[in-house]
């Protein structure tokens, strides 16, 4: 059971309820932290940019589209249904469904469990949510190997999340 909270453009919090306890990872806009039970610690500096990628990829890639729409990212069409997206050092390939124009796949370099990896996330089962059409199924692979899949059972847009919710306790 996982909950994600995102406050664009740079705040992210994921709370995972696991059999061994609750794990929280958060990015407050500048630094990251994680907690497990009563222990809280700063994330290593190398992991903060990886967590920042989570802000962009959250919501079915909504952050990619928001950054492009607001001029904070450069997007170049590379094919009829593909585009290269770039914001600073972060680059990704976006693939769109030719019939619906929904974002169906993201590919980018990430830090995987075994080191640097090519990460690919595919999106499916799109549903209308608060005026947007977003995916409810996501599958992620690193270097071609599946590493995660999830089904989103509830998604809220603009639920009133405050910046303070992302601060280290």
């Amino acid at each position: 059971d996982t909950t994600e909270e995102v406050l664009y453009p740079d705040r992210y919090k994921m709370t995972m309820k696991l059999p061994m306890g609750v794990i929280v990872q958060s990015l407050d806009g500048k630094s990251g932290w994680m907690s497990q039970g009563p222990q809280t610690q700063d994330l290593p500096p190398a992991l903060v940019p990886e967590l920042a990628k989570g802000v962009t990829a959250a919501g079915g890639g909504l952050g990619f589209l928001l950054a492009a729409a607001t001029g904070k990212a450069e997007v170049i069409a590379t094919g009829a249904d593909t585009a290269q997206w770039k914001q600073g050092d972060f680059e990704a390939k976006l693939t769109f469904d030719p019939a619906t124009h929904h974002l169906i796949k993201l590919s980018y370099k990430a830090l995987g469990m075994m080191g640097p990896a090519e990460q690919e996330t595919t999106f499916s089962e799109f549903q209308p949510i608060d005026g947007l059409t977003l995916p409810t199924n996501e599958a992620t692979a690193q270097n071609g190997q599946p590493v995660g899949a999830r089904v989103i059972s509830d998604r809220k847009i603009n639920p009133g999340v405050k910046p303070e919710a992302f601060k280290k306790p």
Side-chain angles (χ1 to χ4, degrees):
D1 186 20
T2 302
T3 301
E4 282 184 314
E5 296 174 278
V6 180
L7 184 60
Y8 293 106
D10 59 3
R11 288 174 172 79
Y12 176 83
K13 186 179 199 179
M14 180 171 54
T15 305
M16 298 173 283
K17 295 176 186 168
L18 304 170
M20 63 186 166
V22 176
I23 297 174
V24 178
Q25 290 183 330
S26 187
L27 180 66
D28 66 9
K30 294 185 178 136
S31 61
W33 56 272
M34 84 177 273
S35 68
Q36 184 173 1
Q39 297 180 345
T40 300
Q41 64 186 32
D42 291 333
L43 285 176
L47 291 182
V48 173
E50 292 303 307
L51 197 54
K53 289 177 184 177
V55 177
T56 307
L62 193 56
F64 284 99
L65 303 176
L66 285 170
T70 58
K72 295 180 177 155
E74 177 183 341
V75 181
I76 299 169
T78 56
D81 303 310
T82 59
Q84 190 68 27
W85 179 97
K86 183 176 184 190
Q87 183 177 26
D89 293 336
F90 186 18
E91 294 185 40
K93 178 182 177 184
L94 285 61
T95 304
F96 299 89
D97 180 278
T100 64
H101 307 293
H102 294 143
L103 179 61
I104 57 170
K105 185 175 8 175
L106 297 171
S107 303
Y108 56 89
K109 291 182 182 357
L111 186 59
M113 297 297 285
M114 306 302 277
E118 185 64 31
Q119 181 158 311
E120 182 175 281
T121 301
T122 56
F123 305 108
S124 61
E125 303 299 323
F126 290 80
Q127 301 292 325
I129 301 165
D130 292 336
L132 300 172
T133 302
L134 299 171
T136 58
N137 288 5
E138 299 178 8
T140 301
Q142 290 182 342
N143 296 330
Q145 299 299 310
V147 295
R150 64 184 181 163
V151 175
I152 289 89
S153 60
D154 185 31
R155 183 174 266 152
K156 296 177 179 119
I157 305 295
N158 296 325
V161 177
K162 305 280 187 230
E164 301 80 45
F166 304 89
K167 292 191 184 241
K168 183 179 168 185

